Amino acid sequence: MKDFAEFCHVVADRIHSAVSKNVRDNPLAIGTQVGMGADGTPTDLIDKIAEDEAMKAVKQSGLNMNVLSEEAGFVDKKAEYTLVLDPVDGTRNACRNLPFYCTSIAIGKASLSDVEYGLVMNIPSGDVYEAKKGNGAYLNGKKIKVREYEKESSLFSFVSGGIKKEFTERLLDMPHLRALGACALEMSLVASGALDGYLMFNPVARITDIAAGALLVKEAGGVLYNAKGEELNLPFDVKDRTSVIALSCKEIKKEFL
Amino acid sequence: MKDFAEFCHVVADRIHSAVSKNVRDNPLAIGTQVGMGADGTPTDLIDKIAEDEAMKAVKQSGLNMNVLSEEAGFVDKKAEYTLVLDPVDGTRNACRNLPFYCTSIAIGKASLSDVEYGLVMNIPSGDVYEAKKGNGAYLNGKKIKVREYEKESSLFSFVSGGIKKEFTERLLDMPHLRALGACALEMSLVASGALDGYLMFNPVARITDIAAGALLVKEAGGVLYNAKGEELNLPFDVKDRTSVIALSCKEIKKEFL
């Protein structure tokens, strides 16, 4: 697993360089649709550039692992471990140069519950959030944990759509509220204590969006549910979808579920 | 004005260094309340560190100008021009290390309408948005303009509170929506085409929050209103407040006002 962690840093750095260069040099081109991803959503040029860079790194590493990626789908090498990759999470932000998007990389065997390593890199700032199962969560090498909940000063980030009417009104009455638009990075912010929770009520998250972020939340002391209030899980299948309620503590659950 | 622009870059760079260092080294201390600002809101340690740095730069520059700042209020040097400063806009984000906050610096005489220069620096990424009256708007030295409006793919950022019921439902039904939490940076994103609009319906914006961002929006081809649909204006007075509707084009106005 040590090798895998080092390798994930290399992949993230290479994606970071390629994406930053293209956001700077080709801002109008990066949002061009260049195909359809294995997950059934359009592939923008920036997604393709980032994924090609990651695939090159996998090939050059010589490591024996399968890859599950938003665009390429499942590349089966009959290996024990699978690299679960979203090269650019928050593509809409990236394509507009709205500086909040990231790379999400995780390693596990078959489902969210067995993910052993996760890394999320904030591409505009270069910050790296990282978690190893049973070994805690880190931001740029410093240990992080979820925030102690104080209702009066709470801060949640949400995704529009699918919100029950009673929560809609509560949400919009909150003095402070966020909607940031990059799932893996928002889950990382729950882990680091920047947010008290991340609320995606519609089932639109894929395993590639949440594999790393979920481990970060758990290792930082947080809790994860789907919108039915069940424990969050998802198989390694790029076509499956789930809702995501990531919270700093289980006491918050009753406020939204 | 050339001297002033160069000076504003120096101020922004110094604030950037001081804030970044403290976010990294003293993350738990920066949100400590250390006093009350001239605008009637609490001053957090990070605001004070940033403003002290700016004030030192003003003193050392030898330039004759008044300063209007969120914390210090109006420092009257009987000069023609006033530096309008929000050292940290998005303090709540900064104090939680939620990587979306900025420095806002503008130069004008007496009100929003006569601002001649504005600079907004995204502190986590280092990006600089800059506008000179009659001379366009720039991101890291490259000319920017507002986005051509396409309703289907529109992206708005809003501030919770004060939203009319009919707009609440429309907002939350939008497939994509943002709430980012740093007014000056969100206005800069309208200028750069990252957002189609920024919606703050409650009158909570101060001149220090909007002086630079408003010039950026105008110079990039956008339009500005208050929530009554009137042209946005505000005197250089740290106690005055306004709502802010910043849009890429006037056609969007009827959707929200």
Side-chain angles (χ1 to χ4, degrees):
Chain A
M1 187 53 64
K2 182 168 176 294
D3 276 356
F4 280 162
E6 280 173 23
F7 165 70
C8 290
H9 277 266
V10 171
V11 174
D13 286 341
R14 287 183 62 161
I15 294 175
H16 181 259
S17 298
V19 170
S20 301
K21 184 177 182 326
N22 278 278
V23 166
R24 193 176 59 238
D25 298 345
N26 306 316
L28 298 177
I30 56 174
T32 315
Q33 192 182 325
V34 294
M36 286 298 288
D39 65 346
T41 61
T43 303
D44 289 323
L45 179 60
I46 196 69
D47 296 319
K48 181 166 165 42
I49 287 167
E51 186 165 293
D52 286 354
E53 198 62 31
M55 290 304 187
K56 264 191 271 178
V58 173
K59 200 167 177 187
Q60 288 167 9
S61 75
L63 290 170
N64 184 36
M65 65 177 88
N66 317 311
V67 179
L68 183 74
S69 177
E70 198 180 315
E71 316 310 333
F74 188 58
V75 180
D76 189 357
K77 298 277 189 185
K78 310 289 180 205
E80 185 183 8
Y81 284 101
T82 295
L83 186 81
V84 182
L85 177 69
D86 190 353
V88 182
D89 179 57
T91 303
R92 184 170 300 265
N93 286 350
C95 289
R96 288 169 167 252
N97 199 7
L98 192 167
F100 194 91
Y101 51 95
C102 65
T103 292
S104 171
I105 307 175
I107 289 176
K109 291 183 178 174
S111 75
L112 190 66
S113 58
D114 67 30
V115 168
E116 295 183 28
Y117 177 81
L119 183 157
V120 174
M121 181 186 260
N122 178 336
I123 300 180
S125 77
D127 285 331
V128 175
Y129 302 81
E130 191 181 12
K132 293 176 195 176
K133 195 170 190 169
N135 199 24
Y138 298 81
L139 164 56
N140 299 330
K142 280 192 182 175
K143 197 148 192 170
I144 51 176
K145 59 185 174 72
V146 293
R147 174 170 292 261
E148 200 169 322
Y149 187 55
E150 295 175 76
K151 191 168 178 174
E152 311 71 48
S153 60
S154 65
L155 193 66
F156 293 90
S157 190
F158 79 104
V159 179
S160 56
I163 309 169
K164 285 186 204 161
K165 203 167 168 56
E166 64 264 35
F167 297 138
T168 298
E169 284 169 22
R170 284 237 353 260
L171 267 181
L172 291 178
D173 277 345
M174 284 183 170
H176 306 284
L177 186 61
R178 300 288 180 268
L180 299 161
C183 173
L185 190 48
E186 288 165 285
M187 292 175 82
S188 303
L189 294 180
V190 175
S192 74
L195 295 170
D196 296 280
Y198 171 69
L199 314 166
M200 177 198 273
F201 292 95
N202 268 343
V204 291
R206 293 151 298 200
I207 187 69
T208 48
D209 301 318
I210 63 173
L215 186 64
L216 274 154
V217 170
K218 277 189 278 188
E219 288 295 324
V223 291
L224 293 151
Y225 307 98
N226 63 25
K228 292 176 190 159
E230 301 157 347
E231 195 180 336
L232 188 68
N233 205 358
L234 204 62
F236 281 7
D237 181 330
V238 83
K239 299 217 164 168
D240 267 17
R241 295 282 194 282
T242 185
S243 47
V244 179
I245 309 294
L247 303 170
S248 59
C249 64
K250 65 179 192 303
E251 287 68 32
I252 304 174
K253 185 182 175 184
K254 63 180 180 298
E255 295 189 30
F256 296 106
L257 295 178
Chain B
M1 188 52 65
K2 183 168 175 291
D3 275 358
F4 279 161
E6 280 173 22
F7 166 70
C8 290
H9 277 266
V10 171
V11 174
D13 286 342
R14 286 182 63 160
I15 293 174
H16 181 258
S17 298
V19 170
S20 301
K21 185 179 182 322
N22 278 279
V23 167
R24 193 176 59 238
D25 298 345
N26 306 317
L28 297 178
I30 55 175
T32 315
Q33 192 180 326
V34 294
M36 286 297 288
D39 65 346
T41 62
T43 302
D44 290 323
L45 179 60
I46 196 70
D47 295 319
K48 182 166 164 43
I49 287 167
E51 187 165 292
D52 286 354
E53 198 63 31
M55 290 304 187
K56 264 191 272 177
V58 173
K59 202 167 178 187
Q60 288 167 8
S61 75
L63 291 170
N64 184 36
M65 63 178 89
N66 316 312
V67 179
L68 184 74
S69 177
E70 198 179 314
E71 317 309 334
F74 188 58
V75 181
D76 190 356
K77 298 278 188 183
K78 310 290 180 204
E80 184 183 9
Y81 284 102
T82 295
L83 186 82
V84 183
L85 178 69
D86 191 353
V88 182
D89 179 57
T91 302
R92 184 171 299 266
N93 286 350
C95 289
R96 287 170 168 252
N97 198 8
L98 192 167
F100 194 90
Y101 50 97
C102 65
T103 291
S104 171
I105 308 174
I107 289 176
K109 292 182 178 174
S111 75
L112 190 67
S113 58
D114 67 30
V115 168
E116 296 182 28
Y117 177 82
L119 184 157
V120 174
M121 181 186 259
N122 178 336
I123 299 180
S125 77
D127 285 331
V128 175
Y129 302 81
E130 191 181 12
K132 293 176 195 179
K133 195 170 190 169
N135 199 24
Y138 298 81
L139 165 55
N140 299 330
K142 280 193 183 174
K143 198 149 190 169
I144 51 176
K145 59 185 173 69
V146 294
R147 173 170 294 260
E148 199 170 322
Y149 187 54
E150 296 175 77
K151 191 169 179 173
E152 310 72 47
S153 61
S154 65
L155 194 66
F156 293 90
S157 190
F158 78 105
V159 179
S160 56
I163 310 169
K164 285 186 203 161
K165 204 167 167 58
E166 65 264 36
F167 298 138
T168 298
E169 285 170 21
R170 283 238 352 263
L171 268 181
L172 291 178
D173 276 346
M174 285 182 169
H176 305 285
L177 186 62
R178 300 287 179 269
L180 300 162
C183 173
L185 190 48
E186 288 165 286
M187 293 175 84
S188 303
L189 293 181
V190 175
S192 74
L195 294 171
D196 296 280
Y198 171 69
L199 312 166
M200 178 198 272
F201 293 95
N202 267 343
V204 292
R206 296 151 296 202
I207 186 69
T208 48
D209 301 319
I210 63 173
L215 185 64
L216 273 154
V217 170
K218 277 189 277 188
E219 288 294 326
V223 291
L224 292 152
Y225 307 98
N226 64 24
K228 292 175 190 158
E230 302 156 348
E231 196 181 334
L232 189 69
N233 205 358
L234 205 63
F236 281 6
D237 182 329
V238 83
K239 298 217 164 167
D240 267 18
R241 294 283 194 283
T242 185
S243 46
V244 179
I245 309 293
L247 304 171
S248 59
C249 64
K250 66 178 191 302
E251 287 67 31
I252 304 174
K253 186 181 175 185
K254 62 179 182 299
E255 296 189 27
F256 295 107
L257 295 177

